[in-house]
Structure formats: structure tokens, C-alpha cells
Amino acid sequence: MADRPSAREALALVADDFDELPYRSREPVPDGPLAWPGYDAARARAAERTGEQESVICGTARVEGTRTVLVSFEFGFLGGSLGVRTGDRLEAAYAHAREHRLPVVALVATGGSRMQEGMLALTQLQRVARASALTREAGLPRIAVLRDPTTGGGWATLGAGADVVLALPGAQVGFAGSRVRPADADPAAYTAEAQVAAGAADAVVRPEALRETLGRWLRLLTRPSAAPVPPPAALGAPDLPATGWDAVRRARSPRRPRAAAYLDAYFAHRVAIGGDRCGGTDPDGMLCGFGEHEGRTVAYAAQTGTATRPAGYRTAARLVRLADRLGIPVLTLVDTPGAANDAEAERQGAGAAIADLFGAVAAARTPVTTLVVGEGGSGGALALAAPGNTWAAPDSYFSVIAPELAAAILKLSPAEVETTADRLRIRPQDLVDLGVVRGIVGRPV
């Protein structure tokens, strides 16, 4: 514990002008609501040791220029545990954020609920969840920074429930704390790095980079705009394909620009979210995050040219819904031969994941712009496409299914695959004629 930064040291990592919120403390009950022997003495020792009166301090500060409500846990005060007075402070902090339209950053370090207050301590999680949900519904971003340790109800509410979850290297993170997990449990599973790998957190951030990283996230997430964004300029071939099979060959070419090239050209800078919050990631198949384009914040979800995994679809749906709540326009890049169709993908809920993304895009009130940059393979590609605002690059195609599979379904010979590609009318110019896409983007001048 001596090596763990205090609550105020954690605040100093990210801000210099912290102004603590006033607290309306309830009258203390001797030894707490359960009359737990020695509880008052334990609190007094914790206060003397830490200089704090509770396990959390709350206030406002500017983080790299963005005014923010900051919540910081003091692990030295009874293990950063949540009690009734902790709930009072957290509830008041979220209320202040809603009243003043401020984002919330929680610097979490807690062992869970406070044993000496029993079920009254545990029910503080409901209060925290309610306060956080109201702030979410108000369209205000919530960011969590997982310090060491982040376990129990604090992880399951303030931590895992945030819009963006960052973690410090090596932090112990998990619902089960070290004293209650199975004796043979792998300790590596209860780390910040493991939570990122499992899709429960977005990134591990070094302490020296935390202020800059938080500042960038806060700037991006607090700039809503109502107008749709333009599609990116084409980066590949400028001419249109002569035949349907020519369109397929060009879209499948390894020399064609992929999502990363388009995102780098479109954004001045960007930050990534990772994971579907259901135990999965698809870093090789779907890139999601927020970036700055011509002074505006834009959310992005981009397929990379591989078969998209269920976790990729769920991550994209999470991205679209978050952007929608915050009033941030979305750019999607379509590029996949289709959804992953192996047995593991089915076990991971491929159909439900694709349906979830279709629903997120369909329900979005924020404008969504789509560019097909390569292969548009069936429903696995269409799920990411904006109805009425999809564009195509010259070296792309969009098809009900890959021509080879269409020929197989229709019981045609392999020799008829190229003819099938023509009949499907999958070239960019065909898609314009059919009204499937709005237009074909040109190369930059």
C-alpha cells in the first residue's frame, strides 16, 4: 500500500487546479449503522493516516483545458471501500456533473464494499449505478481510470460501467478481490492487461501519459455536432472497373489501401476503444474510436479487410451507441469479405452480434456516413453501412454475397463465376445506378 499513490497524488497526475466539492455529511452513528465494534476507531485511524475523512474525494478541475468532475479513491482509507458516506459523495458528484454539464472522470482504487456497514454498504452500488445512469442519459461522457487495485463493486459500477475504461499498468482489476477468489486462480487474469485483452477495458496507459491521454479523450468526447461528415477521399485506383470480376480483383488486391491508411489520412489524431464488454475483441478485423477531422470530433468504426468476428460487430455497435448519446457524428468504413462463419463465430453469437449492429445503426439519431473502401461482402458488410448515406471508392464492390458463393448457391460451374459477378451488378457504378450508394468518391487533387 505504501507504493500506491494517494487519492490526491492521483489527482495531481491529471490536474493542477482541483477544487473539492462541499459535502453535506449525515450525522455519524456510533460505530456505524451495524454498531460494529471498533468501527469508529478504525475510521479515526484511517483519517489520521491519510488526512481524509472518507474513502473518496470529489471535485472539479481542468484536465488539459476541459472542465471535469473528478472522483478519486483513497485506498489507504479502509481499502478504498464504499460505505454510506462514500455513496453520499459520489451521488453528489454526479449530480454536480449533470447540473453543470460536465464530464466525469473516476480515478478508481477500491477493494469493494465496506464490511462494517453490511448490506447498507452494498446497496451504495445501486445509488452509484443510478447516479451514473442519469449522467449517461444526460449525454455526458464518463471515463474511468483503473488504479491498483480496482475490485468488487467499484469495478462493477464506476469502472466497468464507464464509457471509456483506461487502466494503469499492472493494476489488479477484477470483480473478485485477492482474498475471495479461488486459491488456484491464475493471478494474471486479474490484471489491467488481462481486462484489455478480454475487451473489458480500452487501453493501458502509463502514469506519465495519463494527463495527456485523458485530455485528448475529454476534448473529443465533449464536442457534439449535428451535421453529417463527408466521406474520405479515395486513396486507391482512380478509374472504375470494367467488369464485375475486375471490381472483385481490385478490391481483393493486397496493394489496395486499407482502413488504417484511410483513418490516418482523414484524422488529425485519433484515440481507440477496444473490446465489446462481453469478453471479446477483434483488433485485426474492426478498428473503432474517435478522432478529429477539420476541427470536429468524429466517431469511426472501420473494417480492415478480414472476416469480421462477432466481437468486432459488438464493439462497433458499442461505438455507434456511445457516439449517438454524445451527439457525435459517425464514419464507418466497409471492407470485409463477410462475417466470420466458422464454428467458433457461431458459438460467439455471430447472428446476434450482427443484428445488434444493424439495430444500433438503424436507431442512431446522430448522422452516420459510410464509405465502402474494398470488399462489401453480404450482410456482414451491410450491417456497418448507413442507409441513404453510403458512398463507394473506385476500387470497391458490394454484393449480396461473394460471386464464388453465389455461383455455388445457384449450382453454377466454377467457370461461370466471372459471369455471375457481372450479373450481380456489384461495381461502384452499378451500385450508384441501383441506388444502393449515393456516389463514388474521387481521389484527392
Side-chain angles (χ1 to χ4, degrees):
M1 188 168 68
D3 296 329
R4 294 186 176 107
S6 69
R8 295 186 189 273
E9 288 170 339
L11 287 168
L13 279 177
V14 301
D16 296 319
D17 62 340
F18 180 73
D19 184 17
E20 194 164 355
L21 291 172
Y23 300 115
R24 193 178 303 170
S25 297
R26 60 184 69 197
E27 286 295 320
V29 177
D31 280 331
L34 305 186
W36 192 280
Y39 183 33
D40 281 350
R43 283 190 295 194
R45 289 192 299 270
E48 182 178 1
R49 182 171 58 250
T50 63
E52 307 297 345
Q53 296 304 307
E54 247 308 324
S55 60
V56 68
I57 54 177
C58 309
T60 60
R62 292 195 179 276
V63 180
E64 295 283 281
T66 302
R67 197 73 184 168
T68 305
V69 168
L70 287 169
V71 170
S72 187
F73 278 76
E74 176 52 70
F75 189 77
F77 193 101
L78 301 180
S81 57
L82 281 78
V84 173
R85 294 198 299 179
T86 321
D88 291 342
R89 293 188 176 204
L90 292 170
E91 191 173 57
Y94 279 106
H96 185 88
R98 293 193 299 275
E99 180 182 355
H100 297 277
R101 303 295 303 169
L102 298 176
V104 178
V105 172
L107 307 172
V108 189
T110 174
S113 300
R114 193 168 298 171
M115 299 299 100
Q116 297 94 330
E117 296 186 21
M119 277 301 299
L120 289 178
L122 190 65
T123 58
Q124 300 312 301
L125 303 181
Q126 294 174 319
R127 291 179 72 191
V128 172
R130 175 63 175 166
S132 181
L134 290 172
T135 306
R136 177 180 182 269
E137 291 170 7
L140 300 170
R142 301 156 305 140
I143 300 175
V145 177
L146 312 180
R147 298 156 53 209
D148 183 44
T150 298
T151 62
W155 164 230
T157 51
L158 289 155
D163 298 317
V164 176
V165 181
L166 308 176
L168 297 181
Q172 179 190 167
V173 180
F175 185 65
S178 60
R179 297 184 183 181
V180 297
R181 66 184 65 141
D184 60 350
D186 179 7
Y190 302 85
T191 63
E193 290 77 6
Q195 298 296 347
V196 171
D202 294 295
V204 172
V205 182
R206 301 186 317 277
E208 60 270 23
L210 185 58
R211 182 182 295 219
E212 179 183 357
T213 301
L214 274 177
R216 181 169 291 184
W217 270 111
L218 288 166
R219 285 192 300 275
L220 287 170
L221 296 184
T222 55
R223 295 190 304 190
S225 58
V229 296
L235 299 179
D239 57 315
L240 295 175
T243 67
W245 188 245
D246 186 30
V248 173
R249 287 190 299 105
R250 287 162 46 140
R252 292 176 179 173
S253 169
R255 297 184 297 275
R256 174 182 58 78
R258 276 6 191 219
Y262 275 93
L263 295 175
D264 287 344
Y266 194 78
F267 291 113
H269 61 85
R270 54 192 171 98
V271 291
I273 67 168
D276 61 3
R277 298 298 188 263
C278 300
T281 62
D282 186 17
D284 297 326
M286 184 77 77
L287 306 177
C288 294
F290 294 81
E292 181 181 309
H293 174 72
E294 296 182 350
R296 298 173 65 193
T297 297
V298 180
Y300 65 86
Q303 291 169 319
T304 64
T306 66
T308 308
R309 308 294 305 177
Y313 291 112
R314 285 190 287 262
T315 303
R318 173 190 158 213
L319 181 281
V320 171
R321 291 193 176 101
L322 174 56
D324 192 45
R325 290 202 311 271
L326 301 179
I328 293 171
V330 178
L331 170 70
T332 65
L333 302 181
V334 168
D335 186 9
T336 180
N341 58 8
D342 55 87
E344 186 58 29
E346 291 297 336
R347 284 191 286 266
Q348 293 170 356
I354 295 168
D356 190 38
L357 181 54
F358 266 119
V361 173
R365 297 156 297 180
T366 198
V368 181
T369 301
T370 299
L371 178 64
V372 186
V373 300
E375 292 194 79
S378 195
L382 188 66
L384 201 60
N389 197 26
T390 292
W391 303 74
D395 47 1
S396 70
Y397 78 87
F398 217 148
S399 179
V400 62
I401 201 168
E404 299 93 332
L405 298 178
I409 290 170
L410 297 172
K411 300 181 180 180
L412 302 175
S413 71
E416 296 180 84
V417 168
E418 294 187 19
T419 301
T420 301
D422 287 333
R423 290 174 177 167
L424 287 170
R425 299 191 66 191
I426 61 178
R427 301 175 303 168
Q429 59 267 45
D430 297 325
L431 300 172
V432 173
D433 292 342
L434 292 170
V436 174
V437 304
R438 287 184 59 179
I440 302 167
V441 296
R443 295 195 65 175
V445 178

